[in-house]
Amino acid sequence: MQEKTFQRIKELTELQGTSGFEHEVRAYMRQAMSPFVDEVQQDGLGGIFGIRHHEQEDAPRVMVAAHMDEVGFMVSQITDRGLFKIIPLGGWNPYVVSAQRFTLKTAKGDYPCISSSIPPHLLRGTAGQKTVEVSEILFDAGFDSREEAESYGVRPGDTIVPQVETIRTANGKNIISKAWDDRYGCTVVLEALEALKDEKLAHTLIAGANVQEEVGLRGTKGSVNKFKPDLFFAVDCSPADDTVTKNGTFGHLGEGTLMRIYDPGMIMLPRLKEYLLDTAATHNIPFQYFVSKGGTDAGAAHTSNEGIPSAVIGVPGRYIHTHQTMFSIADFEAAREMLIQTLRGLDASTIHTIVEGK
């Protein structure tokens, strides 16, 4: 991996922006996309997309969408002791939330914050800790009282986001970071736009990132209505399940980009799957089939407007929706090549065949 790409990954994953509060990531995407597109447009909820116009006004429209938001929390109440009750933004395993470092983001500034836990000393002589619920975990920024917290600008509705440094593993094959779901997508969009900047495409390309994916695929509905694509590709990270066995599991690090054939919100159309399989075979791109219990923005896109054929060009990540995700550099590079070659190969005839299913 080139150092430039690693630095782009590091910058994007270390940015902090949970659902509905993606402004730092949006500003980064706007600046990074602008040199490679004809214009940048934003939808009403805050999704941001660079557009490369085809010279023909009626050329087919292809949309590639990451999402900018990462899982986090929102302050719901400030206690008398100056701690915070929260609601989760996105899906969290309650057993990974406690005793972690976060950033509390307020109108007056950002403050260090940690999630509470119970030391074993205080559990002695008891029946032990009961089942943990995320909403029961308090967050602590070191304030003595509600009044002190409020004097620093803390209010209900402020967000709390993981604080993590992005690093390489010792063998150089993997990267550890937060928010690879879905700063992967943000990174691969920028990499593809840069790679294709001097090439003429056979379609109008709309590439960027949605908001509020982690809280119900909300941003996609507005963006596809605004841009009205003929085809939609989500670029997203999915959970790897390979730490114990690869037999009967989906999502294995180092085995290539994900070919998501099914999830609860989407079945990939046969002609679109055929096109992606042909693209992978033609360009020797490693891929792995993937079946998921969760969805992506492609699930919202394909039932929007008059129905939009949609697919996901993805990567697996271990331990997603936590502070620390491990992901493979080789998988990222395979997904990047898959996206670039997919966009290169799409012309009006191919898109018509995919859409019409003939």
Side-chain angles (χ1 to χ4, degrees):
M1 173 177 281
Q2 293 183 355
E3 183 62 22
K4 178 181 177 181
T5 298
F6 175 74
Q7 288 303 318
R8 179 173 275 164
I9 289 172
K10 183 175 175 65
E11 289 166 2
L12 275 163
T13 52
E14 290 182 359
L15 287 173
Q16 296 179 305
T18 187
S19 305
F21 297 83
E22 299 93 347
H23 46 278
E24 292 181 17
V25 187
R26 181 165 50 248
Y28 184 101
M29 293 295 289
R30 180 184 295 277
Q31 182 177 20
M33 284 192 298
S34 293
F36 310 128
V37 297
D38 298 318
E39 62 173 319
V40 175
Q41 292 189 22
Q42 185 172 319
D43 64 46
L45 289 181
I48 191 164
F49 291 86
I51 304 173
R52 283 189 49 179
H53 294 287
H54 192 274
E55 58 191 18
Q56 296 180 357
E57 194 171 320
D58 62 347
R61 299 169 67 82
V62 177
M63 189 170 185
V64 179
H67 66 87
M68 293 178 281
D69 56 321
E70 62 187 292
V71 293
F73 301 93
M74 178 181 285
V75 176
S76 60
Q77 291 179 278
I78 306 171
T79 72
D80 291 343
R81 297 282 295 131
L83 280 73
F84 316 119
K85 294 182 178 181
I86 54 85
I87 52 176
L89 297 175
W92 283 90
N93 177 342
Y95 292 97
V96 305
V97 176
S98 292
Q100 299 288 344
R101 184 174 294 181
F102 294 84
T103 299
L104 170 64
K105 303 180 79 66
T106 79
K108 283 192 175 182
D110 295 349
Y111 308 123
C113 179
I114 59 174
S115 48
S116 65
S117 63
I118 303 174
H121 316 66
L122 300 183
L123 293 174
R124 291 172 185 162
T126 73
Q129 192 170 3
K130 64 178 182 178
T131 301
V132 177
E133 299 290 339
V134 173
S135 59
E136 296 174 346
I137 299 171
L138 294 173
F139 284 68
D140 189 347
F143 299 120
D144 293 332
S145 65
R146 178 188 293 115
E147 292 74 20
E148 185 181 26
E150 290 176 343
S151 74
Y152 278 80
V154 184
R155 298 291 186 273
D158 290 340
T159 59
I160 297 174
V161 191
Q163 174 65 48
V164 178
E165 179 188 4
T166 298
I167 58 174
R168 295 181 176 94
T169 56
N171 60 9
K173 296 179 181 179
N174 306 293
I175 294 172
I176 300 170
S177 78
K178 70 169 181 64
W180 194 231
D181 178 12
D182 184 32
R183 307 293 160 70
Y184 146 69
C186 296
T187 306
V188 82
V189 162
L190 297 177
E191 295 270 307
L193 285 173
E194 185 171 13
L196 296 168
K197 63 182 172 55
D198 296 323
E199 299 182 27
K200 184 177 180 179
L201 300 176
H203 51 82
T204 289
L205 175 61
I206 304 128
N210 286 311
V211 298
Q212 298 192 41
E213 191 269 357
E214 298 292 3
V215 290
L217 316 180
R218 298 177 186 178
T220 308
K221 300 176 181 69
S223 65
V224 296
N225 185 58
K226 177 179 176 66
F227 295 110
K228 295 179 172 52
D230 297 294
L231 288 183
F232 180 96
F233 294 94
V235 280
D236 207 344
C237 176
S238 299
D241 186 8
D242 65 347
T243 56
V244 177
T245 181
K246 292 183 178 181
N247 294 325
T249 64
F250 294 101
H252 307 150
L253 262 62
E255 294 190 2
T257 185
L258 301 182
M259 186 76 65
R260 179 183 288 242
I261 55 176
Y262 173 89
D263 66 41
M266 187 201 72
I267 299 172
M268 185 160 54
L269 296 179
R271 293 299 186 191
L272 186 48
K273 181 175 73 172
E274 182 180 302
Y275 173 73
L276 292 177
L277 289 172
D278 285 347
T279 299
T282 299
H283 299 283
N284 298 310
I285 301 170
F287 72 90
Q288 51 188 304
Y289 288 105
F290 190 78
V291 173
S292 178
K293 297 179 181 179
T296 73
D297 278 338
H302 89 126
T303 56
S304 296
N305 300 354
E306 297 178 0
I308 306 169
S310 301
V312 184
I313 297 176
V315 292
R318 290 180 186 159
Y319 328 119
I320 68 171
H321 284 218
T322 72
H323 272 64
Q324 310 289 349
T325 295
M326 182 178 292
F327 55 93
S328 162
I329 291 173
D331 293 342
F332 170 78
E333 291 176 339
R336 177 178 59 192
E337 186 67 10
M338 187 69 176
L339 178 58
I340 291 168
Q341 297 300 342
T342 294
L343 295 174
R344 278 180 177 150
L346 285 170
D347 56 24
S349 174
T350 303
I351 292 171
H352 177 76
T353 300
I354 292 170
V355 173
E356 294 297 321
K358 297 178 182 178

